[in-house]
Amino acid sequence: MTIKPLIILPDPVLRQLSKPVETVDADVRRLADDMLDTMYDAPGIGLAAIQIGIPRQILVIDVSKDGEEKQPLVFINPKVLTTSDEPSVYEEGCLSIPDYYAEVERPAEITVEYIDLEGKKLTAKVDGLLATCLQHEIDHLNGVLFIDHISKLKREMVIRKFTKAAKTRGAKAI
Ligand code: NI
């Protein structure tokens, strides 16, 4: 069990593009395990590999309710195939933008193609919180953050706040 440090806004690493995984091997499985440990420790309901500084197309998600049995999901090389016209609005947060939440509108239902931890190619039709979370995490693979879906004014405000906090952290470290 390894909990990895999280990359926090405005670190430019978060804007990097993640590369597809070529082979699902022991390294990839170990990385997915570490990502799940890091996500549960935070705690959060989703995490992309780039959030621990690794630009590979791996996501972990668990949208089970508090007190329910854990339902860890791993998506490798996920790709959205179809999206519904019907939208869904959810107040999103992100482990890389701690303690900031904003409403984001996304398609309510999506079909996604991905590879599982056994290297098997699968297709899933999902809705509800899982659909929202998957779209948020897939955005991370393209260097996109949920604050890119809110107004420019709000986005600039949150980036300014986190840039100032990062400078303060830097000053303390000297
Ligand atoms: Ni996020």
Side-chain angles (χ1 to χ4, degrees):
M1 170 163 166
T2 315
I3 294 160
K4 304 281 189 186
L6 290 162
I7 306 284
I8 305 293
L9 188 79
D11 196 318
V13 167
L14 292 171
R15 296 304 190 175
Q16 274 184 31
L17 297 183
S18 294
K19 289 203 174 71
V21 171
E22 279 171 21
T23 318
V24 181
D25 54 16
D27 282 348
V28 169
R29 282 189 278 271
R30 197 172 315 122
L31 173 57
D33 269 352
D34 289 349
M35 287 170 63
L36 283 165
D37 291 339
T38 305
M39 179 187 79
Y40 286 128
D41 177 69
I45 61 170
L47 186 77
I50 193 65
Q51 292 180 273
I52 56 167
I54 297 167
R56 303 189 76 184
Q57 294 184 7
I58 306 172
L59 313 175
V60 295
I61 292 179
D62 188 337
V63 291
S64 62
K65 292 198 181 79
D66 285 346
E68 272 181 11
E69 203 182 320
K70 281 181 182 169
Q71 285 168 27
L73 301 171
V74 178
F75 297 87
I76 299 165
N77 302 349
K79 214 164 75 186
V80 176
L81 299 180
T82 65
T83 56
S84 66
D85 292 334
E86 188 203 338
S88 160
V89 176
Y90 186 79
E91 189 174 47
E92 296 188 21
C94 180
L95 293 179
S96 294
I97 312 173
D99 302 319
Y100 182 76
Y101 301 89
E103 283 191 343
V104 176
E105 184 181 300
R106 301 181 188 269
E109 190 181 277
I110 60 166
T111 312
V112 63
E113 180 187 86
Y114 66 100
I115 296 171
D116 71 6
L117 277 182
E118 272 76 55
K120 219 170 21 174
K121 199 177 216 179
L122 299 166
T123 305
K125 195 173 191 176
V126 300
D127 60 9
L129 182 53
L130 181 55
T132 294
C133 192
L134 250 173
Q135 291 173 83
H136 173 121
E137 302 309 331
I138 290 172
D139 269 357
H140 274 299
L141 305 181
N142 297 311
V144 175
L145 301 169
F146 84 92
I147 54 169
D148 298 333
H149 296 285
I150 63 177
S151 74
K152 190 170 178 237
L153 190 74
K154 280 191 195 164
R155 178 168 59 254
E156 284 174 352
M157 221 163 69
V158 68
I159 290 174
R160 242 194 335 266
K161 187 179 151 209
F162 276 81
T163 304
K164 214 169 132 190
K167 278 190 188 141
T168 308
R169 280 200 304 276
K172 275 180 192 154
I174 291 168

